[in-house]
């Protein structure tokens, strides 16, 4: 399942990558902190990951592709909980000190070692089917907006509304289990602007004056996120003459879409003429990002993505994990967008914003 190619730095990061790039927005500790004692922020984040253990265990228990799934799910819960508790006592254990990359990585490694390849597969398939049935209506509503700036804002709001389908958040798992999630309701209930980071007006101004040659979009979740949020935006870029690369995970992680799943989704959405709701997709590519987590370290991407992205003039990092928690401050050689919904109270507190607030950060080259 995993690509054997060595990982390389994403070529559009400002050089030198070693000194200008760090794949974590929030520092859990500083050089002055005692390496033997967990910092208050480390403990806060460790507790956040502890809260997610029951929902992951429940998903693993119901994975019919794994023999003895309930017993193995229990083993996962015990092992991951034990590691998290050990981090509190000794932050330098298990390859620490911990950050969001390490905490996510250890969780997925334990699941894979126990034989769980994709515990959210059934749910992803269900959500993809629901979202595909709504795709035509969503793009039709976008197409009916004649004003360029208003259409751009509608597309961005669609990305934010779709991004709420995220089962890495314990609070959203509860909401999803209780009521499901409606894309239209999420769209209508987005928090009012100004958002906690809000460069939308600057972006809309640029949108009306220029089209980009090539855009790389790092995508996030399955379901409404990719199908009703990102794909309408990518379709609009294609219609404006932009080549679009969609970079998706190599391997499953939580409910993130993989590159193979995304190829299948797009093929199903194409009309009888091979177009995406009437728009030619010959300039649309789906690429394996080389990533296997719900967060991403851009110093380690697949060589295929690095080669294809080398001459892009727009990079979009979408989602809580990629756009906010790891790469909000990543400096690019070209225009960049970091967009997503704040789904953890800890992130909201860090920014001084509200839970389910929106981030739209636009930086020109």
């Amino acid at each position: 399942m995993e690509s054997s190619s060595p990982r390389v730095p994403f070529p559009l990061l400002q050089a030198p990558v070693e000194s200008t790039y760090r794949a974590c927005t929030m520092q859990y500790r500083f050089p002055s902190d005692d390496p033997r004692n967990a910092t208050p922020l480390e403990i806060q984040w460790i507790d956040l990951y502890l809260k997610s253990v029951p929902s992951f265990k429940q998903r693993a228990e119901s994975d019919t592709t794994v023999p003895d799934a309930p017993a193995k799910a229990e083993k996962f819960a015990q092992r991951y909980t034990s590691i998290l508790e050990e981090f509190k006592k000794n932050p330098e254990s298990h390859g620490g000190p911990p950050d969001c990359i390490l905490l996510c990585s250890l969780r997925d490694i334990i699941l894979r070692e126990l034989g769980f390849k994709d515990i959210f597969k059934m749910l992803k398939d269900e959500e993809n089917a629901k979202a595909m049935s709504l795709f035509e209506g969503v793009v039709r509503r976008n197409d009916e907006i004649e004003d360029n700036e208003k259409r751009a804002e509608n597309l961005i709001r669609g990305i934010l509304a779709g991004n709420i389908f995220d089962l890495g958040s314990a609070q959203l798992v509860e909401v999803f289990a209780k009521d499901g999630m409606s894309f239209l309701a999420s769209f209508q209930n987005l928090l009012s602007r100004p958002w906690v980071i809000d460069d939308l007006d600057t972006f809309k101004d640029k949108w009306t004056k220029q089209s980009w040659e090539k855009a790389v979009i790092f995508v996030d979740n399955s379901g409404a996120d990719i199908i009703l949020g990102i794909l309408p935006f990518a379709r609009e870029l294609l219609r404006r003459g932009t080549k679009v690369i969609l970079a998706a995970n190599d391997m499953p992680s939580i409910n993130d879409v993989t590159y193979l799943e995304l190829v299948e989704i797009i093929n199903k959405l194409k009309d009888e003429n091979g177009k995406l709701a009437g728009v030619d997709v010959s300039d649309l590519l789906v690429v394996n990002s080389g990533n296997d987590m719900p967060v991403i370290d851009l110093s380690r991407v697949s060589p295929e993505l690095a080669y294809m992205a080398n001459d892009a003039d727009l990079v979009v990092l979408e989602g809580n994990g990629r756009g906010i928690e790891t790469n909000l401050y990543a400096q690019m050689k070209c225009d960049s967008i970091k967009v997503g919904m704040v789904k953890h109270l800890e992130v909201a507190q860090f920014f001084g914003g509200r839970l389910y607030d929106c981030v739209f950060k636009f930086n020109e080259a």
Side-chain angles (χ1 to χ4, degrees):
M1 288 178 68
E2 191 169 13
S3 170
S4 58
S5 303
R7 303 295 182 255
V8 299
F10 185 59
L12 296 172
L13 284 171
Q14 286 283 7
V17 173
E18 298 79 15
S19 59
T20 60
Y21 175 71
R22 185 174 183 272
C24 271
T25 300
M26 290 149 279
Q27 274 191 257
Y28 295 0
R29 65 167 45 241
F30 294 90
S32 58
D33 290 319
D34 184 343
R36 294 162 298 179
N37 293 318
T39 67
L41 200 54
E42 281 173 340
I43 291 172
Q44 189 177 27
W45 278 90
I46 290 165
D47 285 340
L48 176 72
Y49 282 80
L50 278 167
K51 286 178 193 170
S52 73
V53 172
S55 64
F56 276 76
K57 179 189 172 189
Q58 185 179 17
R59 290 286 165 197
E61 284 173 342
S62 59
D63 189 340
T64 56
T65 68
V66 177
D68 302 320
K72 290 176 179 175
E74 177 63 32
K75 191 174 287 188
F76 154 76
Q78 290 177 1
R79 193 180 297 175
Y80 190 48
T81 299
S82 172
I83 287 173
L84 293 175
E85 295 293 353
E86 283 174 37
F87 274 135
K88 290 184 182 181
K89 297 171 189 171
N90 177 14
E92 294 190 314
S93 61
H94 304 287
D99 57 20
C100 60
I101 298 277
L102 182 58
L103 293 171
C104 286
S105 176
L106 287 169
R107 182 175 61 195
D108 281 346
I109 286 170
I110 295 167
L111 284 167
R112 288 166 192 154
E113 283 181 347
L114 290 166
F116 295 105
K117 295 178 181 177
D118 192 356
I119 61 175
F120 290 87
K121 177 64 176 168
M122 186 182 300
L123 183 60
K124 288 192 296 182
D125 289 346
E126 289 171 2
E127 290 304 309
N128 287 339
K130 285 183 204 171
M132 281 191 276
S133 70
L134 300 173
F135 177 75
E136 292 282 347
V138 168
V139 296
R140 193 183 311 116
R141 281 193 293 274
N142 283 319
D143 290 352
E144 288 169 355
I145 301 171
E146 294 182 6
D147 182 271
N148 246 339
E149 282 198 18
K150 288 180 180 176
R151 184 185 292 183
E153 178 164 346
N154 202 66
L155 288 162
I156 297 304
R157 286 179 175 274
I159 291 173
L160 291 163
N163 191 233
I164 200 170
F165 177 53
D166 186 339
L167 300 183
S169 162
Q171 285 136 318
L172 284 174
V173 169
E174 290 178 20
V175 173
F176 188 86
K178 184 180 176 185
D179 302 318
M181 287 181 189
S182 161
F183 174 77
L184 186 58
S186 299
F187 190 98
Q188 292 170 339
N189 294 328
L190 287 178
L191 293 186
S192 58
R193 295 182 62 200
W195 300 320
V196 66
I197 298 177
D198 194 335
D199 297 328
L200 185 56
D201 291 338
T202 307
F203 170 74
K204 289 192 297 184
D205 184 58
K206 181 90 178 247
W207 175 274
T208 60
K209 295 173 181 174
Q210 173 192 322
S211 291
W212 293 272
E213 294 289 325
K214 183 191 282 189
V216 180
I217 305 175
F218 288 87
V219 301
D220 192 12
N221 305 312
S222 301
D225 195 346
I226 182 65
I227 295 166
L228 305 181
I230 289 295
L231 286 182
F233 178 70
R235 172 181 174 272
E236 187 67 17
L237 287 172
L238 291 166
R239 186 155 69 171
R240 289 160 55 91
T242 304
K243 295 177 181 177
V244 178
I245 296 170
L246 299 178
N249 266 17
D250 180 16
M251 298 175 71
S253 185
I254 314 186
N255 59 313
D256 289 14
V257 68
T258 68
Y259 77 103
L260 290 175
E261 289 168 342
L262 184 48
V263 169
E264 185 180 344
I265 286 167
I266 291 170
N267 284 334
K268 286 181 178 178
L269 287 174
K270 287 179 184 175
D271 58 28
E272 63 276 6
N273 300 313
K275 295 183 176 182
L276 199 59
V279 173
D280 182 60
V281 291
S282 56
D283 282 332
L284 176 66
L285 289 172
V286 177
V287 181
N288 174 2
S289 68
N291 191 46
D292 60 357
M293 291 183 288
V295 290
I296 191 166
D297 181 348
L298 291 179
S299 68
R300 300 184 69 255
V301 302
S302 72
E304 295 86 357
L305 172 59
Y307 173 77
M308 292 182 190
N310 193 48
D311 59 344
D313 52 356
L314 176 65
V315 174
V316 181
L317 286 144
E318 184 246 352
N320 196 65
R322 291 163 186 79
I324 300 176
E325 290 183 18
T326 51
N327 290 291
L328 187 66
Y329 303 131
Q331 299 174 51
M332 300 287 170
K333 298 174 183 176
C334 61
D335 290 357
S336 66
I337 295 169
K338 287 75 175 266
V339 56
M341 185 178 282
V342 175
K343 299 166 208 162
H344 294 141
L345 188 58
E346 293 75 7
V347 180
Q349 290 169 346
F350 176 81
F351 290 127
R354 305 160 287 180
L355 189 61
Y356 309 130
D357 210 331
C358 301
V359 166
F360 187 83
K361 185 173 173 60
F362 175 61
N363 291 105
E364 296 188 73

